[in-house]
Amino acid sequence: MTMMTPPPLEQQEDEEILVPHQELTEGPQPMEVLSAETANALESQQVEDPPTFKYRWTIENFSRLNAKKLYSDIFYVGGYKWRVLIFPKGNNVDHLSMYLDVADSATLPYGWSRYAQFALAIVNQVHGKYTIRKDTQHQFNGRESDWGFTSFMSLSELYDPSRGYLVNDTCVIDAEVTVRKVIDYWSYDSKKETGYVGLKNQGATCYMNSLLQTLYHIPYFRKAVYHMPTTENDMPSGSIPLALQSLFYKLQYSDNSVATKELTKSFGWDTYDSFMQHDVQELNRVLCEKLEDKMKGTVVEGTIQHLFEGHHMNYIECINVDYKSTRKESFYDLQLDVKGCRDVYSSFDKYVEVERLEGDNKYQAENHGLQDAKKGVLFIDFPPVLQLQLKRFEYDFMRDTMVKINDRYEFPLQLDLDRDNGKYLSPDADRRVRNLYTLHSVLVHSGGVHGGHYYAFIRPTLSDQWFKFDDERVTKEDAKKALEEQYGGEEELPQTNPGFNNSPFKFTKYSNAYMLVYIRESDKEKIMCDVDEKDIAEHLRIRLKKEQEEKEHKKKEKAEAHLYTIIKVARNEDLIEQIGKDMFFDLVDHDKVRAFRIQKQLPFNHFKEDVFKEFGIPVQFQRFWLWAKRQNHTYRPNRPLTPQEEAQSVGQLREVSNKTHNAELKLLLEVDIGPDLHFLPPPPKTKEDILLFFKVYDPEKENLRFVGRLFVKALGKPTEILSKLNELAEFPPNEEIDLYEEIKFEPNVMCEHIDMRMSFKSSQLEDGDIICYQKSLTSANRNQFRYPDVPSFLEYVRNRQVVHFRSLEKPKEDDFSLELSKLFTYDDVVERVARQLGVDDSSKIRLTSHNCYSQQPKPQPIKYRGVDHLLDMLVHYNQVTSDILYYEILDIPLPELQGLKTLKVAFHHATKEEVAIHTIRLPKNSTVADVINDLKTKVELSHPDAEVRLLEVFYHKIYKIFPPGEKIENINDQYWTLRAEEIPEEEKSLGLHDRMIHVYHFTRDSNQNQMQVQNFGEPFFLVIKEGETLADIKIRIQTKLQVPDDEFSKWKFAFISLGRPEYLQDSDIVSNRFQRRDIYGAWEQYLGLEHSDTAPKKAYTTNQNRHTFEKPVKIYN
């Protein structure tokens, strides 16, 4: 399952989005997202290996491509035609967009469908390990004939010639496509086929599912969880032990896949947490720590330690004196190196490798001073259940980023940690314990560092039969699938299509083992114990059996739904209860009234007997009205049932009343009660009689309530019922009142004044209409109330919105809430926020909208008066509405700020090492010269007349010296660093044959391609003179950089052109190398200083996103 979040324009850098390609219109677009359930549903169960093809597409003159989109040649896989589709400048995003396309979709027959798993990659032609690859799976059809990644990789990285993705302006794209036959997901029964059930994926919880299945299939662990004390009053969503017990019980006894929502709720996670992919190792530690804490003081205290805890000894032993220091430490899992190790044993060898402390690194021994010593780790004991975390992800210091290690790494079915006479064991280890382990489970990660899918291979009984637990799906697998195919590394596939790259390809396998669980042979019987119902608390069995019975009951109801009709009966009591509390418009919420489930063939007159039993209203006093949905989207009583209709069956009546053919029949029960509180027969209803409903509004209390219904004559006038209305509202008999008709509330409120002098018919009133009334107000006392009349109150109710405001500096914490109207203007909103914050000038308030998908502030703030109303600030892509806004308090008014260009400039002092970041604000029509003049007022110069220049630096190279007259409006400091520095005197008076060259620091990765150059540090210019040797230049460079002699003697110097170093000798004439002027970009030809990068990473950053969040795994409860 690849991590996916819509929409494409507001993602963090490491998010990836899988979408049909759709040419995106300008502006953010909500994208269709591949759900985990769909992805897993489509994975097929194969007997034979499915057809796979690997295709390479080489695109020359890539940076000069003008086409918006480009297709590859067609290639065949599984008898189908495929091609790759790219958007070289992005599909309206600042990333390369890339998709797999069904080449002949336009000519395929209606209803065609095919399923493929595929990977797309941009090859790094200099450094293979930096190739960017993303894989997914999709069911292709007429509506979605292409699928892939709108944001595959950033354009800035792709087009940077030093990164290795474009070499000689050539881009290489690999596609690996596997076509699978699709078995209908719904027809596959995991329980029937394997005896086990899977776990449902909540969005990106495959990593959690694979871990939970592994823990569940350690019976001793499961038994301990069952024995954790819980009570019948606990709720699973608030209790981790009960939620885990419930989950394990369902895995053990359910016939279908099990949901994990109760468990994640017990963790305190919200929906967003469930869509954040986390690290299995981290979750394993956090969950075990939490369970260990919850088990304290219970009968199962110490279980986690007993199962998973081992101990090792860290030691330092002096060679020449009798001194040894040891420290015992515990572990629950072991982190094993993958890089540089061929298998588990070589990782253990490396783990216990002895380090020599000598020379400058001698050990300070107590009472013995500095001594040569040996330092290492040995194991005191191993746990019954050994969890090995394979270090597949490592930090690459060269690129300052995480990378995935896909190297081949073998692991045995049986692991002997007593090998070679117990070389891993400390002298204190108990040699009577046989540390022979058998493999229980293999957790697999498929994908790259930015996301992927997790699943597990498990031997639940340690037999020869393996099972693959892949979210909801459980399948039988052979040992080769679980072991050898998860070693990782490369595989070689010969070309199956003549004419396309006939040489065989080597492709990295991106699916590989990430965590191994071994069980000690001597503890096998104890760990793999029987777990049955007697281990499960009685209250838990009762609760879960009741849940199962309810589930079965609902399933039965669903199966028999076609035999029944749901009749929802609304009464006067419901209207009184709901209006003014739960609702203000229309009359009733039908989901909150009494519902009856009645067999369709039952005569309606018999149903009236059920109503009598329920409400105590005799049949002869009941009259039922049908409801109707009007064209203006209101829902009102329409007409009473006729005697003939009441003689029909319930099913016939529903069909007459309901054009949408759903299973519900909605009715209003009319009952009349006399002064003596006895029931009265329903009054005769003629065409002249109109049934009206009445609500009363109190402007002082801002309250609306239902007071009753009346029949009126069509030709009668409101004046004739005034006394009755006053009586219903408990007003004085002669109170003057104003009447309004509530007409509609979607999309806008319509509530019109009723003329008392006109008849009801002339006012176009009919059965089911609503009249709202209130005491008449004089023009003087209207000003006393916020909402003096019914229309203004209903307008307020329709548009009121509680908005939660957060400081942009603390975007996860609500600061305060305000009740506002969605119709408030921009000025209204900022004025209310300013008042709340005690800010005198509301124009200094800047607001930012909320991204409902990422749960973060949007990257761009709202411009001054850039939206008309509050509603525009809250709507997210015309789909969902948020109730969160972020605020900032500016130091200058926003209109003034928007008229300025803000740049962050790093000023490098001429003689001091310090770098100061300055924020420069100037009018947008200003020039670079204006920036420099403003900067001069803020910095300390070496002398008053010093000249300053502005440079563009990107990835430790100088790409541009800004001309003083260049306008600043189009300068981008989001990705590039703007550096200001004094111009050295030597550069001001260049001789005829003098050259100013670029000088950059670089290093190389000794483990990788020796030609690969990685730049770091601060680049600079240097003037070289004709005939000047490297030895002469070295003296000036050492003086400039103030590098000590012993360190500088280790530096190497090279002429580098297009990333390839040519090392120089002291006697070489440097100017001879810098003769060509026709190369592409001066930064591609420079003097390189090779030495180790000892500077701390990210000493300063001038270009950073406005908002970045890295979420660790947290269990809150």
Side-chain angles (χ1 to χ4, degrees):
M1 210 293 303
T2 307
M3 177 62 190
M4 298 153 282
T5 53
L9 294 188
E10 293 190 1
Q11 70 214 352
Q12 293 178 39
E13 190 176 333
D14 62 347
E15 292 174 338
E16 54 188 66
I17 302 168
L18 289 87
V19 294
H21 94 253
Q22 302 174 16
E23 293 200 29
L24 308 181
T25 55
E26 287 299 324
Q29 296 291 306
M31 303 303 289
E32 183 162 349
V33 180
L34 175 66
S35 74
E37 284 83 354
T38 306
N40 294 328
L42 296 171
E43 183 184 334
S44 63
Q45 189 181 12
Q46 295 294 307
V47 178
E48 301 175 3
D49 286 341
T52 297
F53 180 65
K54 297 183 177 180
Y55 170 72
R56 174 158 284 185
W57 182 17
T58 301
I59 310 170
E60 297 178 347
N61 300 318
F62 191 84
S63 65
R64 298 187 183 92
L65 292 174
N66 292 320
K68 184 179 180 185
K69 59 183 178 179
L70 191 66
Y71 289 98
S72 73
D73 290 335
I74 292 171
F75 54 93
Y76 291 82
V77 191
Y80 300 134
K81 294 180 180 180
W82 305 89
R83 59 186 175 179
V84 177
L85 163 64
I86 65 165
F87 286 69
K89 299 294 190 293
N91 188 0
N92 283 327
V93 293
D94 56 0
H95 286 64
L96 175 75
S97 305
M98 183 154 57
Y99 312 89
L100 180 66
D101 177 59
V102 175
D104 54 349
S105 60
T107 60
L108 291 173
Y110 177 79
W112 69 271
S113 175
R114 65 186 62 160
Y115 171 67
Q117 291 176 310
F118 63 93
L120 301 172
I122 297 290
V123 176
N124 191 302
Q125 300 163 60
V126 179
H127 229 338
K129 75 170 185 175
Y130 296 141
T131 291
I132 295 177
R133 169 184 164 126
K134 296 183 181 181
D135 47 352
T136 184
Q137 48 197 343
H138 183 58
Q139 178 79 13
F140 292 84
N141 53 51
R143 189 170 64 85
E144 295 171 352
S145 61
D146 48 41
W147 194 261
F149 306 87
T150 295
S151 298
F152 189 85
M153 69 177 293
S154 70
L155 294 176
S156 62
E157 187 172 14
L158 173 63
Y159 284 94
D160 178 4
S162 71
R163 304 305 290 273
Y165 299 104
L166 285 187
V167 173
N168 298 326
D169 206 19
T170 297
C171 180
V172 179
I173 293 172
D174 281 345
E176 179 180 357
V177 182
T178 301
V179 175
R180 296 182 179 271
K181 293 178 182 177
V182 182
I183 295 175
D184 181 10
Y185 173 72
W186 303 109
S187 70
Y188 183 80
D189 187 332
S190 291
K191 184 79 171 210
K192 183 180 176 184
E193 298 294 330
T194 66
Y196 301 102
V197 296
L199 291 168
K200 293 178 181 175
N201 194 318
Q202 290 187 47
T205 55
C206 53
Y207 71 99
M208 180 180 73
N209 290 351
S210 58
L211 176 65
L212 290 173
Q213 289 282 16
T214 302
L215 293 173
Y216 166 80
H217 285 291
I218 301 172
Y220 191 97
F221 180 86
R222 190 191 331 157
K223 189 186 279 264
V225 167
Y226 283 151
H227 283 270
M228 292 177 74
T230 54
T231 72
E232 57 197 32
N233 297 323
D234 291 343
M235 290 302 294
S237 59
S239 163
I240 293 175
L242 184 57
L244 204 53
Q245 288 172 351
S246 173
L247 184 83
F248 282 4
Y249 181 91
K250 290 171 185 174
L251 281 175
Q252 192 162 346
Y253 294 105
S254 176
D255 292 329
N256 302 301
S257 57
V258 180
T260 57
K261 282 187 179 176
E262 276 186 348
L263 182 65
T264 55
K265 279 185 181 175
S266 76
F267 291 171
W269 289 4
D270 57 20
T271 306
Y272 185 57
D273 287 296
S274 300
F275 278 90
M276 283 287 290
Q277 195 167 81
H278 294 299
D279 178 40
V280 169
Q281 300 174 4
E282 190 181 0
L283 177 65
N284 186 28
R285 285 198 201 98
V286 173
L287 180 59
C288 285
E289 284 172 10
K290 191 63 67 171
L291 287 174
E292 187 179 345
D293 185 55
K294 301 278 184 187
M295 288 177 176
K296 284 178 180 171
T298 74
V299 293
V300 289
E301 182 174 358
T303 298
I304 301 296
Q305 295 99 312
H306 175 70
L307 280 177
F308 303 118
E309 188 177 49
H311 298 89
H312 51 55
M313 176 186 75
N314 293 290
Y315 69 87
I316 298 177
E317 185 175 4
C318 292
I319 295 171
N320 301 316
V321 298
D322 185 16
Y323 181 84
K324 186 175 183 179
S325 169
T326 62
R327 186 176 74 254
K328 180 179 178 181
E329 291 184 353
S330 65
F331 63 86
Y332 282 0
D333 56 37
L334 291 175
Q335 302 261 336
L336 298 185
D337 283 329
V338 171
K339 194 171 184 179
C341 299
R342 67 177 301 273
D343 59 15
V344 171
Y345 287 122
S346 57
S347 293
F348 269 97
D349 291 345
K350 191 173 180 181
Y351 205 98
V352 300
E353 202 169 55
V354 176
E355 180 187 351
R356 303 277 295 196
L357 305 179
E358 53 194 9
D360 293 339
N361 196 28
K362 285 186 178 183
Y363 174 61
Q364 180 71 45
E366 192 175 340
N367 299 326
H368 295 283
L370 290 172
Q371 293 289 330
D372 292 342
K374 297 183 297 182
K375 177 184 178 184
V377 176
L378 289 171
F379 290 93
I380 299 170
D381 56 63
F382 292 104
V385 180
L386 180 63
Q387 299 182 110
L388 302 180
Q389 310 284 1
L390 308 184
K391 290 161 75 171
R392 286 284 181 190
F393 294 95
E394 283 193 0
Y395 187 76
D396 187 321
F397 287 96
M398 297 302 199
R399 296 188 74 209
D400 194 17
T401 187
M402 293 295 291
V403 294
K404 186 181 178 191
I405 309 298
N406 290 299
D407 300 354
R408 182 177 175 86
Y409 182 87
E410 298 177 10
F411 46 90
L413 190 61
Q414 277 210 322
L415 179 67
D416 187 357
L417 294 178
D418 290 333
R419 70 197 294 259
D420 293 350
N421 200 28
K423 65 178 179 180
Y424 305 134
L425 300 175
S426 76
D428 301 334
D430 185 350
R431 301 288 173 131
R432 293 170 300 175
V433 177
R434 181 75 175 95
N435 292 303
L436 181 65
Y437 286 84
T438 189
L439 186 61
H440 173 265
S441 47
V442 180
L443 275 71
V444 176
H445 178 265
S446 175
V449 71
H450 298 310
H453 182 51
Y454 291 90
Y455 47 90
F457 292 94
I458 301 174
R459 290 195 296 164
T461 61
L462 297 182
S463 68
D464 292 337
Q465 181 62 63
W466 285 86
F467 296 87
K468 180 182 178 184
F469 291 82
D470 189 352
D471 287 337
E472 297 186 45
R473 195 90 180 271
V474 186
T475 53
K476 290 183 178 179
E477 304 290 349
D478 59 33
K480 183 182 177 186
K481 276 267 177 82
L483 277 77
E484 291 172 42
E485 293 192 13
Q486 309 313 323
Y487 289 165
E490 291 184 329
E491 64 176 321
E492 187 175 287
L493 274 187
Q495 286 286 18
T496 55
N497 251 8
F500 292 104
N501 295 342
N502 289 320
S503 59
F505 278 158
K506 276 192 173 181
F507 270 76
T508 301
K509 294 169 74 173
Y510 287 86
S511 294
N512 35 55
Y514 180 66
M515 176 176 165
L516 306 172
V517 178
Y518 284 91
I519 292 177
R520 190 158 50 201
E521 285 281 353
S522 58
D523 294 297
K524 192 162 65 174
E525 284 189 22
K526 181 174 67 175
I527 302 299
M528 307 305 289
C529 57
D530 290 330
V531 184
D532 51 34
E533 282 217 350
K534 70 176 183 294
D535 292 301
I536 302 164
E538 185 181 7
H539 76 83
L540 184 65
R541 294 202 303 270
I542 293 169
R543 179 200 293 264
L544 296 175
K545 281 179 180 174
K546 188 177 176 183
E547 276 183 25
Q548 190 60 31
E549 286 168 5
E550 287 174 358
K551 197 174 177 182
E552 292 296 329
H553 181 66
K554 285 180 181 176
K555 189 176 177 182
K556 184 181 176 186
E557 278 191 355
K558 193 174 181 181
E560 297 176 349
H562 64 287
L563 303 175
Y564 289 84
T565 290
I566 304 296
I567 303 179
K568 293 184 173 179
V569 177
R571 301 180 298 144
N572 240 38
E573 289 83 347
D574 295 312
L575 276 62
I576 292 168
E577 174 63 27
Q578 293 184 24
I579 292 171
K581 296 176 186 172
D582 301 333
M583 58 187 301
F584 293 86
F585 301 98
D586 268 353
L587 293 171
V588 75
D589 180 349
H590 293 276
D591 290 334
K592 295 180 179 177
V593 303
R594 177 68 171 88
F596 298 82
R597 188 169 181 260
I598 305 296
Q599 286 192 334
K600 288 182 178 178
Q601 67 265 33
L602 186 79
F604 185 82
N605 280 324
H606 289 195
F607 164 68
K608 294 172 80 170
E609 293 290 343
D610 291 344
V611 174
F612 167 62
K613 291 173 187 172
E614 178 69 21
F615 298 130
I617 301 167
V619 170
Q620 66 271 27
F621 300 125
Q622 300 174 16
R623 178 157 66 188
F624 290 91
W625 288 66
L626 293 171
W627 294 79
K629 189 170 186 177
R630 298 182 176 180
Q631 285 185 334
N632 64 10
H633 304 294
T634 58
Y635 210 60
R636 305 288 175 80
N638 184 39
R639 63 175 180 83
L641 292 177
T642 65
Q644 292 82 2
E645 287 172 330
E646 290 194 354
Q648 294 178 340
S649 70
V650 166
Q652 290 171 315
L653 189 55
R654 182 193 63 78
E655 289 171 12
V656 168
S657 71
N658 195 336
K659 293 177 182 176
T660 59
H661 299 294
N662 65 27
E664 292 183 356
L665 173 61
K666 294 172 182 173
L667 300 172
L668 174 75
L669 174 57
E670 177 198 347
V671 178
D672 282 308
I673 299 176
D676 56 358
L677 301 182
H678 285 91
F679 294 116
L680 299 175
K685 168 77 167 77
T686 67
K687 288 184 179 179
E688 293 300 310
D689 294 309
I690 301 173
L691 179 63
L692 298 177
F693 294 81
F694 294 89
K695 302 177 185 177
V696 169
Y697 174 57
D698 181 346
E700 185 176 350
K701 296 179 181 177
E702 294 182 2
N703 167 261
L704 188 72
R705 59 192 174 94
F706 176 74
V707 291
R709 52 182 166 70
L710 293 174
F711 280 103
V712 298
K713 295 297 181 183
L715 297 177
K717 296 179 181 179
T719 50
E720 297 168 10
I721 60 167
L722 289 181
S723 59
K724 182 62 179 173
L725 293 181
N726 281 330
E727 182 186 334
L728 288 175
E730 298 179 349
F731 290 166
N734 298 320
E735 184 70 50
E736 288 188 23
I737 56 177
D738 291 324
L739 275 57
Y740 302 86
E741 183 191 359
E742 179 191 315
I743 300 171
K744 66 169 187 170
F745 54 93
E746 290 288 356
N748 300 306
V749 172
M750 185 179 287
C751 183
E752 296 182 349
H753 191 269
I754 294 175
D755 190 337
M756 297 268 201
R757 298 164 299 179
M758 293 174 62
S759 68
F760 293 107
K761 185 175 182 179
S762 301
S763 295
Q764 298 183 337
L765 292 167
E766 58 186 43
D767 283 326
D769 279 345
I770 301 170
I771 292 178
C772 303
Y773 63 100
Q774 66 178 95
K775 293 179 180 179
S776 297
L777 296 176
T778 63
S779 55
N781 59 14
R782 283 181 66 86
N783 296 329
Q784 297 176 21
F785 307 111
R786 283 202 309 168
Y787 308 106
D789 54 31
V790 172
S792 63
F793 175 73
L794 292 180
E795 193 75 56
Y796 152 71
V797 169
R798 174 72 181 79
N799 294 296
R800 66 181 170 183
Q801 173 73 55
V802 175
V803 180
H804 303 281
F805 287 90
R806 300 174 178 180
S807 167
L808 195 62
E809 294 177 355
K810 297 179 180 177
K812 288 308 225 179
E813 302 172 16
D814 283 354
D815 194 355
F816 59 89
S817 299
L818 295 176
E819 186 185 276
L820 308 171
S821 168
K822 293 174 187 173
L823 301 181
F824 271 12
T825 64
Y826 174 91
D827 288 353
D828 293 332
V829 176
V830 294
E831 204 245 309
R832 289 289 301 276
V833 173
R835 196 186 316 159
Q836 173 73 27
L837 296 170
V839 176
D840 294 334
D841 185 354
S842 64
S843 68
K844 290 184 178 178
I845 300 295
R846 180 162 69 175
L847 301 175
T848 300
S849 296
H850 179 68
N851 184 323
C852 298
Y853 297 117
S854 67
Q855 297 294 312
Q856 298 173 18
K858 290 186 179 181
Q860 298 302 322
I862 297 168
K863 290 185 177 179
Y864 180 73
R865 293 179 178 167
V867 296
D868 293 329
H869 299 103
L870 172 64
L871 182 61
D872 303 315
M873 300 179 187
L874 302 177
V875 172
H876 188 58
Y877 299 136
N878 299 318
Q879 283 192 332
V880 290
T881 302
S882 163
D883 62 353
I884 296 170
L885 286 175
Y886 303 87
Y887 70 86
E888 299 167 87
I889 303 173
L890 305 174
D891 55 346
I892 61 173
L894 182 55
E896 186 181 330
L897 179 63
Q898 287 180 183
L900 303 175
K901 173 77 173 179
T902 301
L903 295 174
K904 284 188 177 178
V905 179
F907 179 70
H908 290 236
H909 197 276
T911 57
K912 300 178 183 177
E913 288 189 14
E914 65 186 44
V915 174
I917 310 298
H918 292 277
T919 299
I920 308 293
R921 282 180 184 159
L922 291 170
K924 290 180 179 178
N925 60 357
S926 302
T927 63
V928 169
D930 297 324
V931 173
I932 291 170
N933 289 334
D934 186 81
L935 185 66
K936 283 181 175 180
T937 65
K938 300 179 178 182
V939 300
E940 178 188 346
L941 300 173
S942 60
H943 59 92
D945 300 326
E947 294 181 41
V948 176
R949 65 185 168 202
L950 190 65
L951 310 175
E952 178 184 275
V953 178
F954 184 61
Y955 282 106
H956 314 287
K957 294 181 179 179
I958 299 170
Y959 279 76
K960 182 176 183 178
I961 302 176
F962 288 100
E966 182 170 335
K967 299 286 187 185
I968 67 171
E969 186 168 6
N970 297 321
I971 293 179
N972 186 343
D973 65 346
Q974 185 175 1
Y975 302 110
W976 292 266
T977 299
L978 298 182
R979 184 173 106 189
E981 63 185 21
E982 291 185 27
I983 302 175
E985 289 300 322
E986 64 174 8
E987 293 181 24
K988 296 178 187 177
S989 53
L990 288 176
L992 181 62
H993 300 291
D994 292 347
R995 294 290 305 274
M996 189 167 79
I997 65 170
H998 293 239
V999 184
Y1000 304 155
H1001 304 270
F1002 77 97
T1003 186
R1004 295 178 304 167
D1005 187 344
S1006 58
N1007 296 321
Q1008 298 293 331
N1009 188 334
Q1010 290 291 318
M1011 298 303 290
Q1012 172 67 11
V1013 165
Q1014 294 288 338
N1015 295 107
F1016 66 91
E1018 293 299 339
F1020 58 93
F1021 292 116
L1022 187 70
V1023 174
I1024 60 172
K1025 302 185 181 297
E1026 188 172 18
E1028 196 172 16
T1029 65
L1030 177 64
D1032 299 328
I1033 291 172
K1034 283 168 65 174
I1035 295 170
R1036 291 200 285 125
I1037 290 176
Q1038 184 178 3
T1039 304
K1040 179 181 178 68
L1041 300 180
Q1042 299 180 347
V1043 183
D1045 290 343
D1046 57 340
E1047 184 182 337
F1048 195 71
S1049 65
K1050 300 174 187 175
W1051 288 25
K1052 295 179 183 177
F1053 295 78
F1055 168 72
I1056 298 180
S1057 180
L1058 294 172
R1060 296 184 178 276
E1062 181 185 338
Y1063 287 92
L1064 302 175
Q1065 303 300 318
D1066 282 358
S1067 58
D1068 287 342
I1069 306 296
V1070 177
S1071 59
N1072 291 346
R1073 309 285 177 163
F1074 290 90
Q1075 295 303 313
R1076 289 183 59 205
R1077 297 175 183 272
D1078 59 346
I1079 61 167
Y1080 174 70
W1083 57 86
E1084 288 308 324
Q1085 193 180 77
Y1086 59 89
L1087 179 63
L1089 316 179
E1090 184 183 3
H1091 59 98
S1092 57
D1093 180 8
T1094 56
K1097 296 291 174 188
K1098 295 185 180 178
Y1100 70 92
T1101 306
T1102 62
N1103 49 337
Q1104 57 186 8
N1105 296 332
R1106 290 178 77 236
H1107 320 293
T1108 55
F1109 295 92
E1110 292 180 10
K1111 294 194 73 171
V1113 177
K1114 289 185 180 177
I1115 297 179
Y1116 301 94
N1117 294 329

